[in-house]
Amino acid sequence: MNTVDIADKKFELLIENDNINKRIRLIGIQLNVDYEGRCPIFIGVLNGSFLFMADLLKEMDIPCEVAFVRVSSYKGTASSGTIKETLGLPENLANRDIILVEDIVDTGFTLKHILEKVQLQNPASVRVCTLLYKPEAIQVPVKELEYIGFEIPNEFVVGYGLDYDGLGRNLTDIYRAVPE
Ligand code: 5GP
């Protein structure tokens, strides 16, 4: 399938599932080496990270734990224009090795917010693993961003967990919006 229609938009194939899986296997190998002898806790950012987290975890040979957080955003009066609230962050992160798992890093604001909350609990280490990264869109540099699946252009993408208007998360490949 090279193009799909979701609601009122047309999308074209960007990354095939085969390539996603190959990349995840390589990231898994790297994580197994980097965290050998430790027991990290993977924290996925919902909703978009659920498929990436599932496939990544299957590659892990070291002992590890899994949790998820959800971030809600709404327009507010803060200067950034957006206030985010972190829901469900585990409360026992002191001295733990944390790996935050994201579907996509766009401006970096979501990560910045979650990282601030995580740091309050004095973890031993924090690193970020994201499947997709849009280097042209980043507005706040994230020094913890260590593992990146694919760098993509600054375009809207769907599939493999990512949605357009709630739809398209079930697509196994990743698609980008076709300009109208
Ligand atoms: P940031 O805070 O880095 O700007 O945005 C991160 C969140 O915005 C992601 O977790 C995701 O929910 C959403 N997002 C950013 N870019 C895209 C995109 O191209 N497609 C989809 N479906 N969501 C995106």
Side-chain angles (χ1 to χ4, degrees), residues 135-160:
E136 293 156 26
I138 198 81
Q139 291 193 38
V140 278
V142 182
K143 66 175 183 344
E144 295 86 349
L145 193 50
E146 185 85 19
Y147 306 95
I148 296 173
F150 300 92
E151 292 196 358
I152 61 167
N154 193 5
E155 292 169 324
F156 189 80
V157 293
V158 295
Y160 195 74

Side-chain angles (χ1 to χ4, degrees), residues 22 34 123 126-127 132 152:
K22 280 183 195 142
D34 291 355
V126 186
R127 284 173 173 174
L132 304 174
I152 61 167

Side-chain angles (χ1 to χ4, degrees), residues 11 45-49 71 73 84 102-114 130 132-134 137-140 142 152-159 161-165 167 169 175-177:
F11 292 86
V45 183
L46 292 173
N47 291 335
S49 71
V71 178
S73 53
K84 308 240 179 194
E102 265 278 23
D103 51 351
I104 187 163
V105 178
D106 186 21
T107 61
F109 284 124
T110 304
L111 262 184
K112 180 176 179 274
H113 171 83
I114 298 171
T130 185
L132 304 174
Y133 175 53
K134 295 180 183 172
I138 198 81
Q139 291 193 38
V140 278
V142 182
I152 61 167
N154 193 5
E155 292 169 324
F156 189 80
V157 293
V158 295
L162 290 133
D163 75 309
Y164 170 55
D165 241 2
L167 299 171
R169 294 193 196 275
Y175 294 80
R176 69 166 154 215

